[in-house]
Amino acid sequence: VAPTTPVCEIPSSAMTGTVVQMSCKETEGSPPSEYQWYKNGVALLEKIGTGSARAANITYTMNKKSGTLLFNTVTKNDTGEYFCEASNGIGLSQKCSVKQMQV
């Protein structure tokens, strides 16, 4: 079964230095969807190990299975337009509407 449009929870604003968790979920897809987050239209990289992430200045953890995007401490650099895409290899992938987060 192809995924339906996912429901995204993205805060409109956050204080610098706070923890922010965004979530993305759809329940119709079978097999279960994997989720990819985008910021300003660019796919966010999954954090693999610690060295590469630190080099790339990645301040978040993205879980493709659960659809969560977790910022341990947000910075002004994390301000932007976010959305998530659900795909399970069947039919078209589905995106939630873009939301702006201001830090």
Side-chain angles (χ1 to χ4, degrees):
V1 181
T4 54
T5 303
V7 175
C8 292
E9 290 184 20
I10 301 168
S12 57
S13 64
M15 294 287 290
T16 305
T18 59
V19 174
V20 171
Q21 181 169 315
M22 301 183 187
S23 65
C24 179
K25 196 79 186 147
E26 71 82 30
T27 52
E28 300 291 311
S30 180
S33 289
E34 290 213 337
Y35 302 97
Q36 171 67 52
W37 281 95
Y38 293 81
K39 177 187 173 187
N40 300 330
V42 179
L44 292 175
L45 298 168
E46 234 179 329
K47 193 173 184 173
I48 299 162
T50 49
S52 59
R54 209 169 286 131
N57 208 9
I58 293 175
T59 59
Y60 57 81
T61 308
M62 179 171 59
N63 186 323
K64 292 196 168 192
K65 297 266 187 252
S66 68
T68 56
L69 181 62
L70 178 69
F71 294 89
N72 287 326
T73 53
V74 290
T75 67
K76 284 189 167 54
N77 293 338
D78 295 316
T79 294
E81 295 186 330
Y82 290 86
F83 71 89
C84 157
E85 181 178 66
S87 58
N88 65 354
I90 298 167
L92 295 171
S93 58
Q94 298 289 332
K95 301 177 177 73
C96 65
S97 54
V98 178
K99 288 186 190 163
Q100 171 81 22
M101 180 177 75
Q102 184 73 42
V103 180

